[in-house]
């Protein structure tokens, strides 16, 4: 049976007058399907908006107004580590496979981006790229691009492989900057595609929601919202986005509302014209409290919204209305983050993880790994990667089963097999010395081509003859069926004339009766009632 769960975190105020129980539990793991029920909780955490990241093995939570990150082990259900950093962490995002070893991206109050390799402890930091604190981060599905948004209204696009490269020669800098907003950016999200047509969506305090082509930096569309968007989430099929407002309502931003022939996001005639969503696309909430976090179910039919009173409401997207509260964690602790986990319970996993992160490696704040001695390589000597292999390593074959063919090896290789490259280079180098052999191969190929052409011509002739034979047979069958039908009609006519004579009625000779005198019609004896089918 498929099960679906989500992780929610709250921001706990120091002035909360409740018991220590409310302060202890700061992160909740909650089942959504098939039955909504709390599953477990993690203590001692107060997470700001955009400060939660979840993997298959760990939960990472930035702490409000603190320069630390709490790391929780999901399997052991306890706190694994408290990791300090040089600056206050304001937002985090996880790069890499969900069920493997990944990289934690962190934005700071000083506008710096940190990348922490969880399996090695390596920490890479950028220069202060933003003028003010970073409000949110986003990583695309390929883990190649990172978006950092800030209070300074700018969004930077980073290349994660470039940031992590050991052979980097140029200083760290963003690939491009998306700068169309006029106020602080509150939320930014990537689409779910993995091609060059993937999009990014951002919301700002200026009341706009922008759709970007982050590969080129082009602004595709601007939506004028009726209120301040606090959070965003994108439909799993990238058909629409949903924004949470200060009054708790939810705004549907439909990318395909116009139903035009051209793609609505790439229509050059309307990309510079702002669009205002229809008032019916704004769904009113039961309580007028800010919607601080949003997440979608796996199939995209249900939207969950976390509010400032600690309640989570489900929204039926098809009916555009909310249901009964799904959870009520704390009346004084707002739900600042929600993450829907991938569903579990599938019969097989098409992409099983190859690495498992059993325990994180804390970052080191001594001399950077780039400063350590190198032994004729760009990778430092002190660099270590600690993880567990979940599958068998590709060892040499010792069984009696046949080895894969050269074609299969080349087809499944990440780039080109070294043996294939070596043989190709050898053939190129030996071209001049083997011209006679090449001419012989060409003659052999020409002979094979002539033989194939002759075989094809003979096959064509056989097909034509077979087609003609089938046509004649079909015509003969039609003629036989016609004769059979006429015989049946004459038999019925004779029976009708006999009946009339027996009743003393006058009988008029029909044309078919006159033809019977000749004794044969169409070369078949009239005494035969039916023909026998072949």
């Amino acid at each position: 049976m498929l099960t679906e769960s989500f992780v929610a975190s709250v921001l706990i105020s120091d002035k909360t007058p409740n018991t220590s129980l409310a302060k202890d539990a700061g992160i909740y793991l909650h089942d959504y399907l098939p039955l909504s029920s709390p599953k477990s909780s993690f203590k001692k955490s107060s997470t700001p908006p955009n400060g939660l990241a979840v993997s298959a093995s760990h939960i990472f939570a930035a702490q409000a107004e603190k320069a630390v990150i709490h790391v929780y082990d999901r399997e052991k259900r306890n706190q694994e580590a408290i990791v300090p950093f040089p600056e206050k962490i304001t937002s985090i995002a996880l790069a890499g496979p969900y069920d493997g070893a990944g990289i934690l991206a962190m934005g700071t109050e000083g506008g710096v981006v940190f990348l922490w390799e969880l399996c090695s402890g390596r920490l890479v930091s950028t220069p202060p790229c933003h003028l003010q604190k970073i409000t949110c981060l986003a990583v695309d599905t390929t883990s190649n691009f990172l978006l950092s948004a800030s209070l300074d209204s700018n969004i930077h696009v980073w290349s994660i492989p470039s940031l992590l490269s050991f052979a980097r020669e140029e200083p760290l800098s963003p690939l491009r900057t998306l700068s169309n907003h006029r106020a602080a950016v509150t939320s930014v999200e990537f689409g779910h595609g993995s091609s060059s047509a993937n999009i990014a969506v951002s919301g700002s305090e200026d009341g706009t929601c922008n759709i970007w082509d982050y590969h080129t930096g082009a602004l595709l569309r601007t939506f004028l919202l009726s209120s301040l968007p606090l959070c965003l989430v994108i439909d799993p099929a990238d058909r629409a986005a949903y924004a949470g407002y200060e009054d708790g309502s939810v705004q549907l931003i439909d990318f395909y509302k116009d139903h035009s022939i051209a793609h609505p996001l790439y229509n050059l005639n309307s990309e510079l014209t702002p669009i205002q969503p229809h008032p019916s696309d704004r769904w009113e909430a039961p309580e007028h409290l800010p919607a601080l976090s949003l997440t979608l179910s796996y199939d995209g039919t249900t939207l969950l919204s976390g509010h400032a009173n600690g309640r989570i409401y489900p929204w039926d997207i098809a009916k555009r209305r909310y249901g009964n509260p799904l959870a009520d964690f704390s009346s004084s602790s707002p739900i600042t983050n929600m993450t829907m986990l991938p569903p579990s319970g599938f019969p097989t996993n098409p992409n099983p993880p190859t690495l498992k992160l059993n325990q994180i490696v804390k970052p080191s704040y001594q001399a950077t790994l780039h400063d350590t001695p190198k032994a004729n390589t760009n990778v430092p000597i002190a660099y270590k990667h600690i993880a567990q292999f979940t599958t068998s390593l590709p060892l040499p074959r010792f069984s009696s089963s046949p080895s894969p063919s050269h074609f299969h090896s080349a087809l499944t290789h990440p780039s080109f097999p070294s043996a294939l490259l070596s043989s190709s280079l050898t053939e190129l180098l030996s071209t001049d010395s083997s011209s006679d052999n090449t001419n012989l191969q060409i003659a052999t190929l020409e002979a094979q081509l002539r033989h194939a052409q002759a075989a094809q011509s003979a096959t064509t002739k056989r097909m034509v003859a077979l087609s003609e034979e089938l046509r004649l047979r079909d015509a003969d069958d039609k003629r036989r069926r016609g004769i059979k039908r006429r015989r049946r009609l004459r038999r019925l006519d004779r029976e009708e004339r006999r009946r009339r004579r027996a009743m003393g009625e006058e009988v008029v000779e029909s044309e078919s009766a006159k033809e019977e005198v000749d004794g044969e019609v169409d070369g078949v004896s009239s005494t035969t009632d039916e023909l026998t089918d072949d």
Side-chain angles (χ1 to χ4, degrees), residues 188-485:
V188 64
E189 293 288 339
F190 274 107
H192 299 85
S194 57
S195 67
S196 59
N198 194 24
I199 60 173
V201 181
S202 61
S204 171
E205 291 182 357
D206 60 7
T208 62
C209 176
N210 288 342
I211 316 298
W212 305 91
D213 181 355
Y214 60 90
H215 293 93
T216 62
L219 176 63
L220 301 178
R221 190 59 53 87
T222 297
F223 291 89
L224 302 178
L225 305 181
S226 57
S227 184
L228 170 63
L230 300 178
C231 52
L232 288 173
V233 66
I234 302 180
D235 176 80
D238 296 343
R239 301 166 300 182
Y242 303 89
Y245 285 160
E246 287 182 309
D247 62 351
S249 60
V250 174
Q251 177 70 61
L252 167 63
I253 305 172
D254 193 345
F255 301 156
Y256 298 87
K257 189 75 172 180
D258 297 336
H259 303 288
S260 59
I261 297 177
H263 193 291
L265 297 182
Y266 295 90
N267 189 353
L268 299 179
N269 296 327
S270 58
E271 68 175 3
L272 299 179
T273 304
I275 299 176
Q276 188 169 7
H278 195 272
S280 63
D281 291 336
R282 182 171 179 173
W283 309 337
E284 295 299 330
E287 299 172 341
H288 296 286
L289 294 171
L292 301 177
S293 55
L294 296 174
T295 190
L296 279 165
S297 61
Y298 177 74
D299 56 4
T301 59
T302 304
L303 175 73
L304 303 183
S305 61
H307 295 262
N309 60 354
R311 291 183 178 180
I312 297 177
Y313 284 93
W315 298 78
D316 190 321
I317 293 178
K319 298 179 180 179
R320 303 189 175 196
R321 64 185 182 186
Y322 61 88
N324 295 325
L326 198 66
D328 188 355
F329 295 133
S330 175
S331 60
S332 58
S333 299
I335 307 293
T336 53
N337 297 274
M338 284 195 301
T339 301
M340 187 67 71
L341 304 181
S344 59
F346 288 106
T348 57
N349 186 0
N351 298 310
T354 56
L355 290 177
K356 181 181 178 181
L357 179 63
N358 289 324
Q359 188 174 5
I360 63 164
V361 180
K362 292 185 178 181
S364 174
Y365 301 103
Q366 300 175 359
T368 61
L369 294 178
H370 292 282
D371 298 332
T372 56
K374 303 176 183 179
N376 299 325
T377 179
N378 290 322
V379 180
I381 298 176
Y383 183 75
K384 297 180 181 180
H385 195 275
I386 302 175
Q388 176 185 353
F389 287 101
T390 58
T391 58
S392 301
L393 296 177
L395 300 176
R397 292 175 176 264
F398 296 100
S399 61
S400 59
S401 59
S403 60
S405 62
H406 294 293
F407 174 77
H408 184 269
S409 300
L411 184 64
T412 57
H413 198 275
S415 56
F416 292 97
S418 57
L420 180 62
L421 292 175
S422 300
S423 61
S424 301
L425 293 174
T426 303
E427 290 180 2
L428 289 175
L429 293 175
S430 61
T431 301
D432 297 336
S433 60
S434 59
S435 58
D436 295 338
N437 188 24
T438 302
N439 294 333
L440 179 60
Q441 292 179 356
I442 292 175
T444 303
L445 292 175
E446 290 178 348
Q448 293 177 355
L449 178 61
R450 288 193 297 270
H451 178 72
Q453 290 175 345
Q456 183 180 6
S457 178
T459 303
T460 303
K461 291 180 180 179
R462 287 197 298 270
M463 294 296 294
V464 171
L466 180 60
S467 177
E468 180 65 18
E469 181 182 354
L470 292 175
R471 186 185 66 80
L472 294 176
R473 182 178 299 178
D474 185 60
D476 185 63
D477 291 341
K478 289 182 178 179
R479 183 181 64 83
R480 288 177 174 273
R481 287 195 297 270
I483 295 173
K484 181 178 179 181
R485 180 174 175 274

Side-chain angles (χ1 to χ4, degrees), residues 1 144 157 177 261 291:
M1 178 182 294
N144 288 326
V157 183
T177 300
I261 297 177

